Amino acid sequence: MCNHTPFHTSVYMPYGDLKNETLRAVIPFVNYGLQEAAFTSYHHAITEVAAITYLLGKGFDPRTAYKTVESWEVNETFY
């Protein structure tokens, strides 16, 4: 008889609290994107948030990621 919990019933957490860490990092940008969509479009807002979070993943700090992506816009359009 096996006395351990099967893998399918336990939560595998190799990186600590990865879920909460990730959500804390992206929620401010998701909220920003929702506000941005009210003035532009959902396509534009999602593209902007995706670009910012991509740069976060590349190691940029949040402020630099935001300012970098904003610098790519001309009249609320990416060129």
Side-chain angles (χ1 to χ4, degrees):
M1 191 56 93
C2 187
N3 291 331
H4 62 82
T5 304
F7 289 111
H8 68 277
T9 60
S10 62
V11 177
Y12 179 61
M13 298 284 291
Y15 301 106
D17 197 5
L18 185 61
K19 178 180 86 172
N20 286 326
E21 179 184 341
T22 302
L23 293 176
R24 277 193 311 272
V26 301
I27 289 291
F29 294 105
V30 170
N31 291 336
Y32 166 76
L34 291 171
Q35 292 173 349
E36 180 82 358
F39 300 103
T40 60
S41 68
Y42 281 103
H43 182 271
H44 175 86
I46 290 170
T47 301
E48 190 168 334
V49 169
I52 291 168
T53 56
Y54 176 81
L55 293 178
L56 291 175
K58 297 288 276 182
F60 285 66
D61 66 273
R63 182 180 172 94
T64 302
Y66 167 79
K67 287 185 170 277
T68 300
V69 173
E70 282 293 317
S71 76
W72 297 341
E73 291 183 71
V74 176
N75 296 325
E76 297 297 330
T77 303
F78 295 109
Y79 287 99

